[in-house]
Amino acid sequence: MRSRCNVFAYMAQLNPSPTFPVLLDQHSQVAHAFGVMDIPTTYLIDKQGLIVRQAVGGRDYDSPAIRQTIEALMR
């Protein structure tokens, strides 16, 4: 329960705050299912639910290339 409180306390400090769901994988079940080895790991999922991009490590999600990729997936 303590890690859950830590996550939400950290998220409350972010500006802007996340507009997407944050997964709390306390027993690493999802991490194992997706093969996550490092944090952060980001997946871009298309409208059919398929993983089309995976990024390990931090990224600048405001970069033109990444924004273009995300916007294309949203169409």
Side-chain angles (χ1 to χ4, degrees):
M1 184 66 133
R2 179 170 167 75
S3 63
R4 179 185 193 119
C5 294
N6 290 345
V7 168
F8 287 113
Y10 171 74
M11 288 175 44
Q13 297 174 9
L14 297 176
N15 186 16
S17 59
T19 58
F20 49 83
V22 174
L23 172 70
L24 298 176
D25 189 19
Q26 294 179 335
H27 301 289
S28 301
Q29 293 172 320
V30 175
H32 290 293
F34 281 91
V36 172
M37 301 304 254
D38 294 307
I39 296 174
T41 297
T42 302
Y43 294 94
L44 294 182
I45 301 170
D46 68 10
K47 289 183 178 184
Q48 289 74 40
L50 301 174
I51 296 170
V52 295
R53 297 279 193 285
Q54 175 186 7
V56 177
R59 296 290 186 277
D60 175 9
Y61 289 99
D62 278 337
S63 76
I66 292 178
R67 288 180 63 95
Q68 183 178 17
T69 300
I70 293 170
E71 288 170 1
L73 288 170
M74 291 171 53
R75 283 186 221 122

